[in-house]
Amino acid sequence: MSDYDFDLFVIGAGSGGTRASRMSAAYGAKVAVAEEYRVGGTCVIRGCVPKKLLIFGAHFAEDLKDARRFGWDVPDCRFDWPVLRDNVLADVDRLNGLYTQGLENNGVEILLDRATVTGAHEVTLGSGRKVSAKTILIATGAHPHVPSFPGSEHGITSNEVFHLETMPRRVLIAGGGYIANEFAGIFNEFGAKVTLVNRTDVILRGYDAQVRDRLLQISMTKGIDFRFFAEFEKIEKQADGSLLVSMSGHDPIEVDCVLFATGRVPNTKGLGLEAVGVELDDKGAVKVDADNRSSVDSIYAVGDVTNRVQLTPVAIREGQAFADTLFGGKPHQVDYHCIPSAVFSHPPIAAVGMTEGEARNTLGSVKVYTSDFRAMKNVLAGRHERSLYKMICDGVTGRVVGLHMIGPDAPEILQAAAVAVKAGLTKDDFDATVALHPTMAEELVLLK
């Protein structure tokens, strides 16, 4: 009989925590997972999944207009926010049930309670119950950062967007990352006047400059305003409920909603980690090695709480690698090279590998191939929005080291193309592939 109550105790039932829990239990470990909110984590409950559903809803704004050019007699339509909101929340409930069922079917004990680490092998629940475990896994994710300045409490974060009572007419979004640009597109398509405010003049830092400049151009054409080099000074709530936002370098602006999308902070505060010797970095993230082990041998961490790559599929892979290594007899580590990513803006961006700037700094000799075109649907719809596909190659070997795309369905197309980049294929390999016509994806094998 084990000297511990559990072989594994997981704190946090998000993407990484549920995968690690379920797989470890499937390997025969006795597993418990503590979750103080809902099973599924940020991605499923208040992140990528419900946000993607809002993006689907937002696309209908342009699709309904474009349909008239394709012969459909579409009347003027009214958007009903509560209908979409409630349907999205209902689907979140469904997914929460499926994640819960998946854990239970594998024999994982779910404890809907807050848990703190009180020893190298001990966890204390909010109820006061103490539990011992041979191994503890921290998978508590991250939360939205809210800047501190007078009146910042009047703003909301992406967590609260899905529960808005009404659709605001005027929205100010703080930030220049993927969450900011995605919600800018969503609110704009739903008919709100959107202003995006950023401390610098760079949006989507880390993406290829030419692609992000194209998004900025298209976004402005769609009516989204941008205020750059702006620092918040204060937010004042007016008698009518509106918000007067003052910022450096720009005139004050009156809006109905301020959404902070200014980064995410690892959820380690109050977990008791430092008291038991777990080392954190300057942002509060758990420091781990390649096997997800912290500075305390019995305590591990996966997902956004480690602040390595804040992407759901990465957290899932880390959870899988943890379970395989500790309980499955199949030790391996996650390969962080060449991870594809997407921004579900309007239109979306997708990328894998090095940007042009990174490639030139790293490789020296680089060849760049592009295709700048209008999607066939946009041509007939009379929409002048242009797509841009960009391939970065090693100038000596011809190996494709980066693909960057902006245009309809770019993320769907890039997922398959990312396999080729990960495999180290060359521009000649792409050129040798016959085009699938007529598609947007065929541009990848016709790049000049």
Side-chain angles (χ1 to χ4, degrees):
M1 178 178 288
S2 173
D3 294 331
Y4 303 101
D5 297 323
F6 295 96
D7 299 314
L8 172 65
F9 194 99
V10 181
I11 303 179
S15 297
T18 54
R19 176 59 65 92
S21 300
R22 185 167 58 83
M23 293 308 301
S24 297
Y27 286 134
K30 186 179 181 183
V31 181
V33 58
E35 173 55 61
E36 62 180 321
Y37 183 50
R38 303 182 77 185
V39 174
T42 293
C43 179
V44 172
I45 305 300
R46 53 190 173 272
C48 9
V49 171
K51 179 185 64 183
K52 187 70 179 289
L53 294 175
L54 294 187
I55 288 166
F56 285 138
H59 271 294
F60 282 103
E62 293 182 353
D63 288 344
L64 288 167
K65 293 178 183 177
D66 293 347
R68 296 186 177 103
R69 291 279 298 179
F70 288 83
W72 290 95
D73 183 13
V74 180
D76 291 333
C77 298
R78 182 183 65 85
F79 173 64
D80 192 333
W81 162 248
V83 171
L84 176 59
R85 177 199 63 204
D86 293 349
N87 286 339
V88 168
L89 293 178
D91 198 58
V92 167
D93 289 341
R94 179 184 67 84
L95 292 170
N96 171 243
L98 288 176
Y99 271 71
T100 300
Q101 185 180 12
L103 290 173
E104 291 175 341
N105 288 347
N106 282 278
V108 177
E109 182 176 342
I110 302 172
L111 303 169
L112 297 178
D113 202 348
R114 178 170 176 79
T116 56
V117 179
T118 48
H121 297 279
E122 183 183 79
V123 172
T124 300
L125 300 174
S127 64
R129 174 188 171 192
K130 292 186 182 296
V131 176
S132 63
K134 183 177 181 180
T135 302
I136 298 171
L137 177 66
I138 310 300
T140 48
H143 64 274
H145 169 260
V146 176
S148 179
F149 62 90
S152 62
E153 70 274 8
H154 297 305
I156 66 171
T157 71
S158 55
N159 288 356
E160 293 79 45
V161 166
F162 306 102
H163 302 276
L164 287 171
E165 288 296 317
T166 58
M167 178 55 51
R169 294 182 299 107
R170 301 163 299 177
V171 180
L172 185 152
I173 299 177
Y178 70 94
I179 294 176
N181 283 278
E182 287 172 343
F183 276 111
I186 290 169
F187 279 119
N188 184 65
E189 296 301 325
F190 287 158
K193 177 58 185 175
V194 177
T195 303
L196 191 146
V197 174
N198 197 29
R199 292 180 301 174
T200 71
D201 63 344
V202 177
I203 64 170
L204 297 172
R205 190 179 304 278
Y207 282 86
D208 189 86
Q210 194 174 355
V211 170
R212 67 192 188 209
D213 285 348
R214 176 63 56 88
L215 177 63
L216 178 61
Q217 171 196 339
I218 293 173
S219 296
M220 293 174 68
T221 301
K222 290 179 183 289
I224 298 173
D225 286 338
F226 290 82
R227 292 190 174 190
F228 293 131
F229 300 112
E231 294 277 359
F232 285 101
E233 295 174 345
K234 62 181 177 178
I235 299 177
E236 300 170 281
K237 192 161 189 175
Q238 309 296 292
D240 63 356
S242 64
L243 303 174
L244 184 64
V245 184
S246 300
M247 65 196 78
S248 63
H250 299 271
D251 293 333
I253 181 173
E254 191 175 88
V255 297
D256 303 302
C257 176
V258 174
L259 170 63
F260 293 116
T262 48
R264 296 179 64 80
V265 181
N267 285 326
T268 52
K269 188 175 181 179
L271 280 181
L273 296 174
E274 291 171 293
V276 300
V278 174
E279 197 174 341
L280 307 180
D281 69 12
D282 58 352
K283 295 183 179 178
V286 180
K287 289 185 177 182
V288 294
D289 63 17
D291 290 314
N292 302 296
R293 189 193 301 264
S294 77
S295 53
V296 176
D297 285 347
S298 58
I299 300 177
Y300 293 71
V302 297
D304 289 0
V305 75
T306 67
N307 201 30
R308 287 174 288 184
V309 179
Q310 291 191 345
L311 291 172
T312 295
V314 173
I316 292 171
R317 291 224 167 189
E318 290 171 352
Q320 183 74 52
F322 166 84
D324 288 346
T325 300
L326 263 71
F327 300 103
K330 299 180 287 186
H332 65 97
Q333 299 171 347
V334 175
D335 179 4
Y336 296 95
H337 171 67
C338 218
I339 297 172
S341 64
V343 182
F344 292 97
S345 46
H346 281 69
I349 288 173
V352 64
M354 288 188 258
T355 65
E356 181 179 349
E358 290 169 340
R360 292 193 185 282
N361 290 335
T362 303
L363 303 174
S365 177
V366 170
K367 289 186 178 179
V368 179
Y369 304 87
T370 61
S371 179
D372 191 333
F373 64 98
R374 265 206 300 171
M376 184 184 295
K377 180 184 174 185
N378 285 347
V379 174
L380 189 58
R383 194 173 293 281
H384 297 290
E385 182 179 303
R386 298 185 68 84
S387 299
L388 175 65
Y389 291 5
K390 186 172 183 178
M391 178 182 285
I392 318 297
C393 297
D394 186 316
V396 176
T397 66
R399 180 172 60 93
V400 181
V401 297
L403 276 177
H404 307 273
M405 306 165 63
I406 179 171
D409 298 323
E412 302 290 344
I413 297 168
L414 186 97
Q415 176 64 87
V419 177
V421 180
K422 180 74 172 176
L425 299 189
T426 66
K427 177 67 164 62
D428 287 343
D429 293 320
F430 275 78
D431 291 344
T433 304
V434 176
L436 183 60
H437 182 74
T439 65
M440 291 179 291
E442 69 179 307
E443 296 296 328
L444 288 176
V445 300
L446 302 173
L447 290 166
K448 302 297 183 186

